[in-house]
Amino acid sequence: MLEDRLGNRLTTASQAARDAYVEGVDHILAATWGAADAFGRAISADPDFALAQAGLARALMYEGDMGSARATLARARELVGGATPREASHVAIFGLLLQGLAGEARAAVRAHVAEYPRDALAAQVCTNIFGLIGMSGEPGREAAQLAYTTHLMSHYGDDWWLLSVHAQALCEVGRLDEAMAVMERSLALNPANANASHFKAHTLYEAGETAAGRAYLATWVQGYDRRALLHGHLNWHRALWALEQGDEAEMWGLFEDGIAPGSGASLPINVLTDSAALLWRAELAGMEVDPSRWTSLSHYALQFFPDPGQSFADIHAALAHAMAGDGAALARIAGAERGFAADLVRPVADAWGAAARQDWQLALDTLAPVMADHARLGGSRAQRDLLELSYVAMLLKLGRGDEAHRTLRTRRPVFAASPPLADYA
Ligand SMILES: [Fe+2]
């Protein structure tokens, strides 16, 4: 029987199908463009290869084509009866994921990984910032993410993919030197891995290495396909650094090149969250933001996230609605009942409403309790600087400069010397 790159047995007799399948898996693990095409070739070589169908379904999910993903996974389910128990469990995980049963899928991945730790495509579902641990809404999820990748390390060893997601987990708990060392090893093994370059950028951001980070990503993205998963998000990181260095021309150029709605191929959650965060952080830095940008983003949020439920997306949609003056849409999120951290979404939405009205005292009072554990809302530390910088900006608006300085020194010391905030002296 043939095996994949990590030694998992595959129910196919076709070497061509196996090779194309491995190629597709590696595209997903590296967040590079070409997964759907590779899985399609695997299916052409062996139409009865269940895992190739499941892989194609996963690739279609990453392209935002959920309808085709469901149809393709249904085909995998029909075929998997003749496959191994590992393959049947693998297909079942993606079934749960496509049904939106995040908690059940998370439990299924944990059980699957306990038995088949080197099934990377299944294990991957619980890694990354937008993975099932990252979006669990549970207290301590950053530590849980690190525990998960640490456990897998003993099964993978010197593997470029696992090293990259382990380094992400290290970065997010603040173990920056280890994160950078692990990431450099991952990049040495596979320089094309966007999950590695992405979190090398995060590690540089957390270390305050603005100029080095900006130069690194500007070079790295030149070899990265515009259609790939992280193209727009990497431009967001570059735009943040341009903002920090006061380069408005580059910041807006990057915004229009893959961040803003309709400008690239990012998933809707990246379009919404990256756009809202950049526009708001530009406002906080004292830059002029055309109100029409907020209006078009609010419309985009209504189209792709009409109902609350994805808490990390919800706080960004609420910001867009608040700044666009759509009180009804904002009120729907401020009353959110659904979502993994709905209890935190509600006060954040209220705080954005107050901030849009420039009622800074109410905004501060409403946001304050969220600051205790906003990691439950999901997203990276860099993404949740939206909240950290807003909180400090509110203090500045109220003339409480001492408290603003002390807050940054205690909560985000990397920004303490010169945060990208207007009127910080
Ligand atoms: Fe990021």
Side-chain angles (χ1 to χ4, degrees), residues 315-345:
I315 61 167
H316 292 82
L319 178 56
H321 298 324
M323 293 303 291
D326 188 338
L330 177 62
R332 255 200 315 282
I333 299 175
E337 294 291 336
R338 288 183 59 246
F340 53 82
D343 60 311
L344 297 181
V345 168

Side-chain angles (χ1 to χ4, degrees), residues 364 391-409 416 419 421-425:
L364 182 72
Y391 188 82
V392 173
M394 289 165 190
L395 289 169
L396 291 170
K397 297 281 188 188
L398 291 164
R400 292 158 67 172
D402 279 357
E403 193 179 348
H405 285 81
R406 192 164 54 246
T407 300
L408 272 185
R409 288 204 306 276
L421 294 171
D423 306 321
Y424 186 90

